[in-house]
Amino acid sequence: MVAHASSFLQKYTDITRDRVEETLSAVFSVLDRKDEDAGRRIREFVDLPDPQSIIPAISACSKHLRREYTGRVKSVEFLFEGAIARQIRQHPDVIPELLEYIVSNPIDSGIVRYWWQAMSAAIKAGSEEVKQYFEHPHEISTDDDFILWAYVQLMFLRDGPGASKKIKQWARQVLEELAQDAPTYLDAQNMVERLRSGGGGNSPTRKNLGVTSI
């Protein structure tokens, strides 16, 4: 499977804007959702042509996740941490539009988890503009899962690998301010423990996001 995935992905390093969703759906359909090697190659080599391609990419990811998958789906996860995170870092002005799409459309709830991973990856890569969205997640959406995963990624930025001391200190300060929101903060701590112990990190129920506030 690894050899097949490697040769297959070589055809998709350049994706045209008019075929983003179609191309990504084809990629996802042939890769094992647990294929770590293929996922990492997606993160490194697959790119989107422009920020306008992010929404069709998210749509393709959502449709893939709806196939009753639970747990981590490597191809989707690493697309967010790679191509989507790079577009976010390079074009932070599109973030409000993307958030509007995420919180106002019936997408798979797993997208929220990967969205915050993309935002975290953008911060690690040097984006300062992204930080404001972690600082005020309640002002973007009242959805519990949306806020929870923001907290979870802040905790990984504070304690996990790949972040500079400056980023870790920023995440620590933000979490100290958010800690007064006890239920969500404690839920996030519990989720981080589950993820670190290999618990998968699924929300209690898989659902489609509905319309919330932004």
Side-chain angles (χ1 to χ4, degrees):
M1 182 58 167
V2 171
H4 172 67
S6 300
S7 60
F8 181 82
L9 287 171
Q10 288 177 357
K11 298 188 297 182
Y12 294 107
T13 54
D14 294 310
I15 302 175
T16 58
R17 182 194 292 182
D18 61 338
R19 298 190 63 193
V20 170
E21 187 168 343
E22 176 186 350
T23 302
L24 289 175
S25 294
V27 170
F28 295 151
S29 68
V30 300
L31 299 180
D32 187 313
R33 71 183 185 90
K34 295 183 179 181
D35 191 333
E36 185 91 19
D37 180 75
R40 293 188 185 282
R41 289 176 182 273
I42 285 175
R43 181 171 61 187
E44 186 174 356
F45 296 116
V46 175
D47 268 319
L48 298 175
D50 50 40
Q52 286 69 43
S53 301
I54 300 177
I55 286 179
I58 292 175
S59 178
C61 292
S62 177
K63 290 176 181 177
H64 187 57
L65 292 175
R66 283 176 178 166
R67 296 176 184 174
E68 301 300 325
Y69 290 133
T70 59
R72 296 168 69 184
V73 179
K74 303 291 187 179
S75 53
V76 171
E77 178 176 2
F78 287 128
L79 181 77
F80 270 85
E81 288 191 355
I84 292 177
R86 286 191 288 271
Q87 290 292 335
I88 288 172
R89 179 174 59 83
Q90 294 165 9
H91 306 280
D93 54 303
V94 304
I95 294 176
E97 178 185 354
L98 298 174
L99 286 169
E100 177 69 34
Y101 175 80
I102 289 171
V103 304
S104 302
N105 286 273
I107 59 176
D108 187 273
S109 63
I111 290 296
V112 169
R113 171 183 181 175
Y114 298 129
W115 165 259
W116 286 112
Q117 285 185 230
M119 296 282 274
S120 176
I123 288 177
K124 289 180 182 179
S127 176
E128 290 293 322
E129 295 88 346
V130 171
K131 290 180 177 179
Q132 61 183 302
Y133 299 98
F134 280 96
E135 293 167 354
H136 307 287
H138 299 82
E139 296 179 5
I140 302 170
S141 173
T142 58
D143 181 83
D144 292 340
D145 279 354
F146 185 90
I147 298 167
L148 170 72
W149 286 109
Y151 283 37
V152 167
Q153 284 304 312
L154 278 169
M155 290 176 183
F156 278 116
L157 284 171
R158 179 191 63 189
D159 303 325
S164 67
K165 290 183 178 179
K166 182 179 179 181
I167 291 173
K168 289 178 180 291
Q169 178 60 31
W170 164 78
R172 184 177 298 110
Q173 291 176 346
V174 174
L175 284 167
E176 287 175 357
E177 296 174 4
L178 296 175
Q180 57 188 312
D181 180 22
T184 302
Y185 189 88
L186 294 175
D187 287 345
Q189 284 185 317
N190 291 334
M191 181 63 75
V192 168
E193 291 176 5
R194 286 174 56 189
L195 291 168
R196 286 178 172 157
S197 65
N202 291 315
S203 300
T205 57
R206 291 301 297 272
K207 62 182 180 180
N208 290 334
L209 292 181
V211 177
T212 57
S213 61
I214 184 170

